[in-house]
Each structure stands twice: as structure tokens, then as C-alpha cells.
Amino acid sequence: MLCPRLAAFREVQRAAHSGWFNAPVPSFGDDAAELLIVGLAPGLKGANRTGRPFTGDYAGELLYQTLRKFGFADGIYDARQDDGVLLRKARITNAVRCVPPQNKPEPGEVANCRRFLAAEIAGTPQLRAILALGAIAHQAVLEALGLRRGRFPFTHGGLHRLPDSTLLADSYHCSRLNTNTGKLTVAMFESVFASLARHLAQAPPEGLHPSTILATG
């Protein structure tokens, strides 16, 4: 068993809510994705309940409405796995696939899930950009790719050219806590997606050093 604490917490939720998904949450989206969005972990009453990343809680409302606005999603998000939403050239996953107590995975649990994130990235052959929602997701992406964190510091709005020419974009997590406190506004979140949309609409620029930060918020 990779993560005993997470497995035990999941069993508690299964006993209390037998109708919930209560299992490692799989990725969701287009197999031909050019954009991979990496969150932290399933929310207790969100993805852990519904079985689809960012579905069932406020973070999902903001994420899916933004994806639709920028042409990465079709359909109307209704906080259900069967609401008919389809992603276009985009895919969503998490750094940790199982719900953690208090929405806080431990470092060892993030490390244990690294193999799954690495496989997700490697299994997306048309990938051109990754959006990390929060510093832990940012670090998990770099570690899954075997890159040194010091070369690519997390900053909201930061865009980093990785050695394989993939663009790593950073945003504060679209959680209710961050939006309620003003740490992240809708305009700030949409600005990151606007940068990603511009990047994906054109050929990758040439001649940039892999560690160059192209933009910061």
C-alpha cells in the first residue's frame, strides 16, 4: 500500500458515504490534449464524491467556466460526472489522486503519486503546455519531469519554458479560500488562460533558454 493514511481516510468516507466515488480519481479530458491542468488533490465533497477532477465544488465551477470561455470545453458544467461536459485539447489531473484529510496531502504522498503524474505527462504525446494550480502542483510537475525546482520558481502568472519546449504556466489554485480572500480573482485566473490560449494558437517560439520566465503576474 503506497499511502496508508489516504487509504484509511478513504475507508472512513466509504463507510459514511457509500454512494460516493471514494477511490483514486482518474484524469479527465481529451486524449489528444495540448494542455494538461494539474491540481493538488481531489476535494472531499468534490472529485472524491463525483469521481471526476474538479467536479462538485467551487473550484470546479471557476475552472470549467474558464475552460469553456477560452474554447477548451463544450457543454454546461453542472457539477456531475454525467453533465455532458467535454474537454477540447485539454485534460485535467491532480498531483495526488486520492482525497487527503483536510485537503492537505503530506510530502511523501505527493512523492508516491509522482509516478502516476509522470505517466500522465508521458502518455499525452501532443502536450504543449501544463498549467499548475498552486505551488505543490508546480513542484510535483517539475519533480515528475526530473527538473530542479530552483530553476523554475512558482509565481502566479509565471510562464516557464521547459527543456523539452513544453510551457509550464502557474496559477494560484482556484479554491474558494483563494477567491474569497482575494488572493485569486476571476480576472487573474482568466489572464493565465489567455496567455495559454495565445501560446497554443501559435508555433512555439525559438531560441529561448529553458529556464526563462516568459511572463509574471
Side-chain angles (χ1 to χ4, degrees), residues 33 115 128 146 202:
R115 69 193 72 182
R128 293 179 55 200
Q202 61 188 7

Side-chain angles (χ1 to χ4, degrees), residues 4-217:
R5 187 183 77 112
L6 299 188
F9 185 64
R10 202 166 58 234
E11 288 304 316
V12 171
Q13 302 312 313
R14 283 175 178 163
H17 309 285
S18 60
W20 290 10
F21 185 72
N22 288 319
V25 176
S27 304
F28 168 65
D30 193 340
D31 289 336
E34 295 183 353
L35 171 64
L36 178 65
I37 299 162
V38 182
L40 174 58
L44 177 60
K45 297 180 180 180
N48 180 67
R49 176 174 61 85
T50 64
R52 191 176 75 182
F54 286 86
T55 299
D57 51 21
Y58 175 77
E61 293 179 20
L62 178 54
L63 178 58
Y64 282 103
Q65 78 177 24
T66 307
L67 285 166
R68 189 167 186 265
K69 179 173 182 176
F70 285 89
F72 293 109
D74 289 326
I76 303 300
Y77 171 78
D78 192 32
R80 297 178 290 109
Q81 191 180 59
D82 61 351
D83 57 14
V85 168
L86 296 175
L87 299 190
R88 300 175 56 191
K89 296 186 177 181
R91 195 164 173 83
I92 306 173
T93 193
N94 279 304
V96 175
R97 300 195 308 162
C98 298
V99 60
Q102 300 179 334
N103 292 322
K104 295 180 180 179
E106 295 179 345
E109 293 161 351
V110 180
N112 286 340
C113 251
R114 185 183 305 152
R115 69 193 72 182
F116 302 112
L117 180 57
E120 182 71 35
I121 294 171
T124 311
Q126 298 185 43
L127 186 65
R128 293 179 55 200
I130 300 172
L131 171 59
L133 298 179
I136 295 177
H138 169 94
Q139 294 167 8
V141 169
L142 294 177
E143 291 171 355
L145 294 172
L147 299 174
R148 293 172 56 187
R149 288 183 289 174
R151 295 179 61 196
F152 309 96
F154 175 84
T155 177
H156 177 80
L159 304 176
H160 310 271
R161 180 74 56 188
L162 302 182
D164 65 354
S165 295
T166 300
L167 187 71
L168 173 60
D170 295 334
S171 173
Y172 294 135
H173 195 284
C174 49
S175 67
R176 186 180 293 276
L177 175 63
N178 283 344
T179 56
N180 281 352
T181 60
K183 183 175 183 178
L184 178 69
T185 65
V186 172
M188 289 169 63
F189 198 53
E190 290 183 352
S191 177
V192 175
F193 272 86
S195 296
L196 286 165
R198 286 193 297 269
H199 169 74
L200 294 174
Q202 61 188 7
E206 300 291 337
L208 288 175
H209 188 278
S211 64
T212 300
I213 298 180
L214 303 178
T216 56

